[in-house]
Amino acid sequence: MLSTPSNLVETLSNIVGSRYVSDDINIRLAYARDASPEPPRICDVVVRPASTEEVAEIVKAANRFKVPIIVRGGGANLVGLPPGSGGITIDMTRMINVVEVDETSMSVTAQTGINWSLLTYELKKKGYRTPFYGPFSGGAATIGGGISNASAGLGSARYGTVADILLGLEVVLPMGDVIRTGSGANPYARKFARWGFGPDMTGLFVGDQGVFGVKTEATLKIMPWPDEQTFGSYTFQDLEKACRAIYEVQLKHIPTNIILLEPDFNRLFGKAGFRGLENVPFSVHLHIEGYTKEEVEKLKATADDIMKKNGGQEVPPDFPSWNFLRPWEWQPRTGPLGQAWITACYKVPILDYPDHRVLWYRVLDKYKEKMKEKKIDFYVASLVVENALDPMNVIYWFDEDEEAREWVRRIWRDLIENEIKHGAIHYWLGKVIGERVAKNYTGPYFDFLRTIKRSLDPNNILNPGLLLL
Amino acid sequence: MSKLFVEQFKDEIYRCIRCGYCRDFSRYRDSAYRVCPLRENDATPGFEPYSARGRLMLIRYVLEGKLSLNEKLAELLYTCPTCRNCWDKCYVAQTKLKGEHMLNQVEIYEAFRHDLFKAGLVSPRHKQILDWAEREHNPYLEKHEDRVKWIPENVAPPPLKGEVVYFVGCTASYRQKHVAAATLRLLRKAGINVAVMGSEEWCCGSPMMRIGHRDLAKAVAQHNVSTIEKMGAKTVVFSCAGCYRAFKVDYPDLGLKPTFELRHVIDLARQLVNEGKLTIKGGFKGKVTLHDPCHTGRHLVHLKAELYEQPREVLAKIPGLEFVEMERNRRNSWCCGAGGGLRSYNSDVSLALAKNRVREAEKTGADILTSICPFCYRNLSDAMQMINSKMKMYDLVEILDMVTE
């Protein structure tokens, strides 16, 4: 065995400076958990690089020492850290520079440790925004983490996911080589086109859970900041009609953001003073953007017709104006009584959702008594990702109750397994969801993935165990 | 191990959902650029426990018996200016349950610092300060008998009894004496025969509270309150944000209920100007930007007692003064790094924060930086010197003293 923590620390210190390396137990414990209820995974050493070169050297050192690397962005994941123990945690959040805003190619290149809110802040100064502008956790979640998880969220109704705005990457491969993908791989070209030579190499690293390389820079599309916006809120007695309305609005490609709230959230927001929500089963909330008042009013009128034709009753747009004027600030991330939360986001075709959601209640029925006893609650809100609905099935519990936490982990896993069987496509996977999803991708497809992993990462250094690789 | 003081916050600690917004979250809607000053421009190594999420996780591990109190843990908890920006930008903290904020990060850190102090994990420098303050009633290692030397020789000494008492504070008594002198002059110009406590004034207790010596903080608080009450005071005026906050927040927390009114001198001066009791004659030329202290801002917003508009209102009344805002102002004000015991615990980190704030002030193009706290003055002016800034620092009370008659 080549490695001992002491010479590993010394090696890493020589790369990034001793100030940014720590094997202290207090530091390591603070990196041992993400935002999920999963138990801690304690690494041997934490390192905070500032540059691609430093990341490459760290990766090379990990190969020499044969120790795993866990790459950490905002640490806001809800899926548990990779399996196993020990190794190096790379904290990417020192790498937050906006490298270039290229107005000619309408792109921004940034280091991947920058979070979505910070990137948006910097772009707004120049009058731009990315079309998809981050997951709801984007106040901490990094663009690197978003790409590794193929994130959906803000802007997804109109512009899709992070994959749809990605033009290229700079990646440190698992043996320490650095590559660029897209037109950035051509030394004579701007970083403006995703395809240029061969297949979509950028796509290889989207949703890869960080197992194929450490993303160090990303080039994303930008658009002029949409100065005009309007909002619409509609209540529905019938979920099928609400979904039909959302579907028809999506055919016209109108709103930037859509949220569907179900009874529990409607009651919660209604009680908090959001008009028209307290006693309704379903409500649909639209955020429409544009560049002139006329443009957004016209789009709103079209959406309005569709919503009303499908039985929607317009109410004051308190919820969407509150939520979308304050991006990233609200998630259903703390319960009304201060409970902890967990969820699993995934995609189902919009019109399939009414049938799909029935499965949760079948699963929850099994736990009804226990949920009541342990004060475990279940709420649902969905966002729209182009042709899909992306439900967040939120479970709340009091985290100081260890037994409740264990029941939540069990219920959560049961829900995920049933969702998968009902055609759900999860995208942030990590350990808990990833190992369940992976079981459904067998045969030549999984062999193909494994072949790529083994070829790129023969020592199985990067995020080992994720995607069951 | 006996029960920890911080256990009273167990519910709140478990409410942290580890979303990580307490670090670099930015809001374009109101120019809230980043959250934790310890992470900006590598002011610290920036590992998780240098911001709220990591600290709360470690305290939780301690409560669960998975981590013992230790020196490194103490270092991580004391390396924080307790600027309260993490509380201000935290979704959980800003959500209320039965009228109370669900999570109060700084109160938790300070309760835990009390546990660290009791466990003997206070730094040698802090121990020296606490020992000195217990004997000499100030944290500056100065003799108590020198406390009143700020009073200019050419003015009549203020009385030791009266309805309006100026609580000078240690920083303006021993270091930024010009702030105390300007305060006295300003109040006299308004016809207020302001009294001072003289040698009966003790440290307000803020340093003890910030470090975790609650017993000593309570003793000095009791002394100050009973002395002021004996002086016949109806109003106590402060020029120091830290002292003001101590009386407003810490004293009730320690079980004291002062019977007198608490006013920051800038708030009082605004009133006096509006009532015509102070006349601004003008004669000031310069471009000025304002630093909002944490202790008159985020530390008071839960009481709806923050002083954000008062200094701006005063500045707007000064002819010839061009006022310009920094990018981060009011609730988003970026900490100067002096508070929370950080200046005495780790002056390198403290001054790194101050340098970041001065650079932000420089970006406005202003030639003068002002504030309403001598302790902020101290750290920011030290940072100005260190980076050879061309800006000048004035306390706002000094500017008011210059322009009033």
Side-chain angles (χ1 to χ4, degrees):
Chain A
M1 189 71 178
L2 201 76
S3 71
T4 66
S6 63
N7 57 18
L8 179 60
V9 167
E10 189 183 332
T11 302
L12 295 174
S13 297
N14 289 336
I15 298 168
V16 299
S18 59
R19 190 173 192 240
Y20 301 107
V21 180
S22 181
D23 63 348
D24 176 84
I25 185 62
N26 301 279
I27 304 287
R28 291 187 290 132
L29 275 172
Y31 282 87
R33 297 189 67 184
D34 60 4
S36 75
E38 293 304 291
R41 178 205 187 281
I42 304 170
C43 65
D44 292 322
V45 56
V46 183
V47 57
R48 300 193 73 228
S51 68
T52 302
E53 293 71 27
E54 289 180 358
V55 172
E57 290 306 311
I58 293 165
V59 171
K60 286 175 191 167
N63 275 282
R64 287 200 302 278
F65 284 93
K66 304 276 191 298
V67 293
I69 287 176
I70 310 302
V71 187
R72 181 178 170 105
N77 238 329
L78 288 165
V79 281
L81 299 174
S85 64
I88 302 166
T89 292
I90 303 184
D91 175 349
M92 294 295 287
T93 60
R94 260 183 89 211
M95 296 181 59
I96 59 168
N97 292 328
V98 174
V99 179
E100 182 187 19
V101 176
D102 183 355
E103 298 185 357
T104 303
S105 69
M106 294 297 289
S107 70
V108 58
T109 299
Q111 289 185 301
T112 53
I114 194 169
N115 72 56
W116 290 92
S117 69
L118 189 48
L119 177 68
T120 306
Y121 191 102
E122 299 289 359
L123 286 173
K124 185 160 195 309
K125 285 184 195 167
K126 295 177 184 289
Y128 294 107
R129 197 189 75 199
T130 54
F132 162 79
Y133 50 112
F136 277 42
S137 54
T142 61
I143 60 171
I147 296 162
S148 296
N149 286 290
S151 275
L154 292 161
S156 284
R158 190 165 188 179
Y159 301 108
T161 70
V162 66
D164 299 299
I165 63 160
L166 193 54
L167 294 169
L169 290 168
E170 178 188 71
V171 184
V172 175
L173 296 175
M175 295 296 284
D177 293 323
V178 181
I179 63 162
R180 278 197 180 276
T181 66
S183 59
N186 179 339
Y188 302 107
R190 288 177 189 272
K191 299 187 283 282
F192 74 105
R194 181 141 162 190
W195 284 268
F197 179 66
D200 177 19
M201 286 300 176
T202 305
L204 181 64
F205 301 98
V206 180
D208 75 335
Q209 310 297 308
V211 301
F212 291 151
V214 185
K215 298 152 196 78
T216 47
E217 283 184 19
T219 302
L220 309 170
K221 294 176 191 172
I222 57 173
M223 63 186 216
W225 188 272
D227 288 320
E228 296 296 336
Q229 54 192 329
T230 191
F231 306 95
S233 289
Y234 306 86
T235 60
F236 289 85
Q237 296 300 317
D238 183 310
L239 180 60
E240 284 188 16
K241 286 183 177 168
C243 287
R244 168 62 60 180
I246 292 170
Y247 175 78
E248 289 182 15
V249 164
Q250 285 304 85
L251 291 178
K252 304 262 184 191
H253 212 61
I254 296 171
T256 300
N257 290 293
I258 306 177
I259 284 188
L260 167 67
L261 294 179
E262 303 207 10
D264 287 325
F265 274 127
N266 283 326
R267 192 161 47 247
L268 191 66
F269 284 113
K271 275 187 185 165
F274 292 72
R275 290 169 294 172
L277 297 185
E278 195 163 356
N279 295 310
V280 297
F282 304 100
S283 60
V284 175
H285 305 274
L286 312 180
H287 175 214
I288 295 167
E289 295 179 316
Y291 295 96
T292 64
K293 275 199 168 56
E294 296 72 33
E295 181 192 359
V296 295
E297 277 167 14
K298 201 172 158 192
L299 288 169
K300 167 74 172 19
T302 307
D304 205 54
D305 285 346
I306 294 169
M307 289 287 141
K308 287 175 181 166
K309 188 188 80 182
N310 284 286
Q313 190 175 350
E314 191 165 15
V315 294
D318 294 347
F319 174 74
S321 55
W322 171 78
N323 187 35
F324 294 113
L325 290 173
R326 307 157 74 247
W328 308 288
E329 291 179 49
W330 176 75
Q331 309 169 39
R333 57 188 167 181
T334 192
L337 301 173
Q339 304 99 312
W341 80 308
I342 188 67
T343 184
C345 286
Y346 59 87
K347 292 179 276 191
V348 288
I350 296 166
L351 294 178
D352 286 352
Y353 178 65
D355 288 338
H356 180 89
R357 77 190 273 281
V358 174
L359 80 92
W360 294 325
Y361 298 98
R362 269 193 227 124
V363 173
L364 294 177
D365 233 24
K366 290 192 282 180
Y367 302 99
K368 208 159 59 185
E369 292 306 313
K370 191 51 78 176
M371 287 174 74
K372 196 173 169 192
E373 179 196 329
K374 303 308 294 179
K375 297 177 185 158
I376 297 168
D377 286 336
F378 185 76
Y379 284 60
V380 182
S382 303
L383 58 121
V384 173
V385 184
E386 292 190 313
N387 61 347
L389 212 73
D390 183 340
M392 290 180 278
N393 48 8
V394 178
I395 309 174
Y396 290 130
W397 77 100
F398 291 98
D399 201 30
E400 60 269 42
D401 183 345
E402 271 184 58
E403 208 184 312
R405 193 187 317 146
E406 289 313 305
W407 275 104
V408 166
R409 293 178 67 213
R410 192 164 153 184
I411 296 166
W412 180 45
R413 282 163 163 76
D414 203 345
L415 285 169
I416 292 163
E417 283 163 12
N418 276 280
E419 288 155 5
I420 294 165
K421 283 183 206 155
H422 286 76
I425 296 300
H426 297 76
Y427 48 95
W428 41 267
L429 305 175
K431 177 179 177 291
V432 175
I433 302 180
E435 63 194 17
R436 284 168 174 74
V437 172
K439 288 175 190 160
N440 296 281
Y441 292 86
T442 53
Y445 178 85
F446 191 76
D447 291 344
F448 177 57
L449 268 186
R450 191 160 45 202
T451 302
I452 297 171
K453 174 69 173 172
R454 284 179 180 168
S455 160
L456 290 173
D457 189 3
N459 295 318
N460 203 16
I461 294 295
L462 277 184
N463 288 349
L466 291 187
L467 301 178
L468 291 188
L469 292 170
Chain B
M1 190 166 62
S2 62
K3 197 175 175 189
L4 293 170
F5 188 67
V6 77
E7 279 194 37
Q8 64 184 298
F9 291 101
K10 190 174 177 185
D11 287 357
E12 293 189 22
I13 292 163
Y14 276 85
R15 284 179 194 148
C16 170
I17 52 164
R18 302 187 295 281
C19 69
Y21 277 38
C22 45
R23 304 178 310 153
D24 306 318
F25 173 42
S26 302
R27 289 194 309 227
Y28 62 81
R29 69 173 169 89
D30 67 346
S31 295
Y33 179 72
R34 308 188 67 170
V35 178
C36 182
L38 296 176
R39 288 172 64 86
E40 191 174 55
N41 294 332
D42 291 336
T44 64
F47 294 110
E48 280 283 342
Y50 286 96
S51 50
R53 175 170 66 178
R55 276 187 217 113
L56 293 178
M57 272 180 81
L58 294 183
I59 296 170
R60 179 169 160 168
Y61 284 126
V62 170
L63 290 178
E64 291 173 350
K66 293 169 183 160
L67 181 67
S68 303
L69 301 184
N70 64 76
E71 280 187 17
K72 180 69 180 178
L73 180 61
E75 180 199 320
L76 294 165
L77 262 294
Y78 280 111
T79 307
C80 170
T82 63
C83 72
R84 227 171 182 224
N85 208 17
C86 52
W87 172 85
D88 196 60
K89 306 301 181 290
C90 169
Y91 181 82
V92 180
Q94 293 308 315
T95 305
K96 288 188 177 176
L97 183 61
K98 295 178 186 165
E100 300 290 330
H101 290 272
M102 279 197 192
L103 176 57
N104 294 282
Q105 285 88 339
V106 170
E107 284 77 353
I108 293 169
Y109 307 156
E110 291 190 347
F112 194 58
R113 285 179 179 190
H114 181 57
D115 290 317
L116 292 165
F117 166 75
K118 283 198 299 184
L121 289 165
V122 67
S123 74
R125 173 72 176 159
H126 274 169
K127 187 170 185 326
Q128 183 188 26
I129 286 171
L130 292 172
D131 289 347
W132 187 271
E134 192 163 6
R135 286 197 315 275
E136 298 289 331
H137 315 307
N138 75 83
Y140 284 110
L141 310 187
E142 297 283 357
K143 289 183 179 167
H144 181 61
E145 64 201 50
D146 293 339
R147 188 169 196 100
V148 292
K149 287 190 174 172
W150 65 269
I151 301 170
E153 286 178 1
N154 57 351
V155 302
L160 297 174
K161 277 191 186 303
E163 289 193 353
V164 180
V165 171
Y166 171 36
F167 189 91
V168 185
C170 301
T171 306
S173 293
Y174 293 107
R175 293 291 181 269
Q176 270 58 54
K177 296 178 185 177
H178 46 99
V179 175
T183 303
L184 180 64
R185 280 194 297 271
L186 188 74
L187 294 174
R188 284 182 169 177
K189 281 182 209 173
I192 298 171
N193 185 23
V194 62
V196 295
M197 297 169 72
S199 60
E200 284 303 310
E201 183 182 295
W202 289 6
C203 173
C204 67
S206 178
M208 298 79 157
M209 282 296 280
R210 310 288 82 81
I211 294 171
H213 194 343
R214 291 178 64 91
D215 296 339
L216 182 54
K218 188 166 186 176
V220 299
Q222 282 169 334
H223 166 84
N224 284 328
V225 169
S226 67
T227 304
I228 293 168
E229 284 173 349
K230 281 180 210 155
M231 290 170 75
K234 289 185 177 165
T235 301
V236 178
V237 181
F238 300 84
S239 58
C240 175
C243 301
Y244 182 61
R245 182 237 186 256
F247 274 70
K248 267 194 121 55
V249 180
D250 293 332
Y251 284 20
D253 178 34
L254 292 166
L256 295 168
K257 289 177 185 160
T259 54
F260 39 83
E261 179 195 31
L262 308 172
R263 298 291 295 272
H264 191 282
V265 64
I266 293 304
D267 184 33
L268 180 60
R270 179 192 64 123
Q271 182 190 330
L272 294 169
V273 170
N274 288 343
E275 291 172 355
K277 292 176 182 164
L278 263 178
T279 307
I280 295 178
K281 62 179 173 13
F284 190 90
K285 279 202 168 35
K287 193 170 175 182
V288 177
T289 191
L290 172 72
H291 167 75
D292 295 288
C294 306
H295 282 170
T296 47
R298 286 184 294 267
H299 280 258
L300 299 182
V301 292
H302 65 295
L303 302 175
K304 295 188 168 49
E306 67 274 22
L307 300 177
Y308 290 136
E309 302 315 317
Q310 293 85 340
R312 287 170 174 79
E313 199 181 313
V314 168
L315 284 161
K317 288 183 190 298
I318 302 174
L321 185 149
E322 184 189 348
F323 178 64
V324 57
E325 289 282 8
M326 278 190 266
E327 183 176 8
R328 295 176 288 197
N329 57 67
R330 296 178 175 85
R331 278 179 83 148
N332 302 327
S333 178
W334 205 242
C335 177
C336 77
L342 185 60
R343 169 76 191 225
S344 49
Y345 182 73
N346 187 331
S347 60
D348 288 345
V349 172
S350 172
L351 285 161
L353 269 54
K355 287 179 207 168
N356 286 337
R357 187 57 167 163
V358 170
R359 289 190 189 102
E360 185 174 345
E362 287 176 334
K363 278 191 202 164
T364 65
D367 38 37
I368 291 167
L369 173 59
T370 189
S371 190
I372 59 171
C373 174
F375 203 34
C376 295
Y377 180 110
R378 182 168 162 68
N379 226 34
L380 293 167
S381 57
D382 285 354
M384 280 177 183
Q385 282 190 351
M386 291 173 83
I387 62 171
N388 296 316
S389 174
K390 289 181 180 152
M391 292 191 85
K392 283 193 78 174
M393 182 90 209
Y394 287 111
D395 194 286
L396 182 50
V397 79
E398 293 180 281
I399 295 178
L400 270 178
D401 181 39
M402 284 182 237
V403 301
T404 48
E405 56 185 16

